Amino acid sequence: LLYNNGTVCDDSFNENSANAICREMGFDRQTSWSSITTWPIQSQYEITLDDVSCDRGAAWESCSYVESHNCGHTEDVFLTCNARPQFLLVDENGNRIRNGGTLGLLLYDDGTVCDDGFDVNAGMAICRLMGFSGLTEWNYGLKFGNLQRNKRDKAGQ
């Protein structure tokens, strides 16, 4: 894991820090992190980030850290993030919905999802795949006005 062309030390680093960093990089969450590995290339970098601390579910902007360190490269963080989700829920402004309980437009690979054959079982499976506990409700039709047309227009250009 590199930050400003340097490595990240594991002091105070935990699963919350890993998740916040993965989300900042455009991934959904971390799948694993460690600091027990060393690679010869590490010595070519300075350590540029230490004491990374994030609350559960926090965005990177609300995490605390220092850009000085008291670490060696044996404490460098190795991070694995999950792949960018193919399904997304967005609100009427196109912003990603991360918390459940909000009706949103379902996108797949940045395009809208047709309701042909879509049912409660499909909704439940997709909600779980996106990290939600289940499906609250689903509906179909033009709910967000131009958002659907804009997505379609962009794909057609």
Side-chain angles (χ1 to χ4, degrees):
L1 177 63
L2 297 179
Y3 174 81
N4 285 343
N5 291 321
T7 62
V8 177
C9 181
D10 69 354
D11 293 349
S12 301
F13 200 92
N14 62 23
E15 186 174 302
N16 297 333
S17 306
N19 281 324
I21 290 170
C22 285
R23 284 192 300 270
E24 178 68 14
M25 293 190 302
F27 297 97
D28 194 42
R29 63 183 166 266
Q30 62 92 26
T31 55
S32 68
W33 74 272
S34 71
S35 58
I36 57 173
T37 306
T38 55
W39 291 349
I41 194 171
Q42 289 170 253
S43 63
Q44 297 175 19
Y45 295 96
E46 295 292 320
I47 299 170
T48 56
L49 198 63
D50 193 9
D51 296 321
V52 178
S53 178
C54 305
D55 292 331
R56 185 175 187 173
W60 174 246
E61 297 81 31
S62 64
C63 297
S64 64
Y65 56 87
V66 294
E67 292 183 341
S68 59
H69 72 89
N70 58 349
C71 306
H73 284 298
T74 57
E75 298 174 86
D76 286 346
V77 171
F78 285 74
L79 178 62
T80 305
C81 302
N82 71 337
R84 181 178 169 263
Q86 294 180 336
F87 286 104
L88 293 174
L89 274 181
V90 297
D91 64 17
E92 59 195 20
N93 298 311
N95 299 312
R96 183 172 178 192
I97 297 172
R98 296 184 184 273
N99 300 321
T102 304
L103 185 64
L105 178 64
L106 180 62
L107 301 179
Y108 179 78
D109 282 342
D110 295 324
T112 58
V113 176
C114 179
D115 67 341
D116 292 352
F118 197 91
D119 62 11
V120 171
N121 292 329
M124 288 289 286
I126 291 169
C127 284
R128 287 187 185 125
L129 184 65
M130 291 188 297
F132 299 109
S133 60
L135 174 71
T136 306
E137 68 174 295
W138 74 276
N139 207 328
Y140 60 93
L142 190 61
K143 300 287 182 199
F144 296 138
N146 291 334
L147 182 64
Q148 286 181 311
R149 274 197 295 292
N150 288 343
K151 290 288 184 188
R152 212 173 279 126
D153 290 345
K154 287 180 183 174
Q157 288 180 349

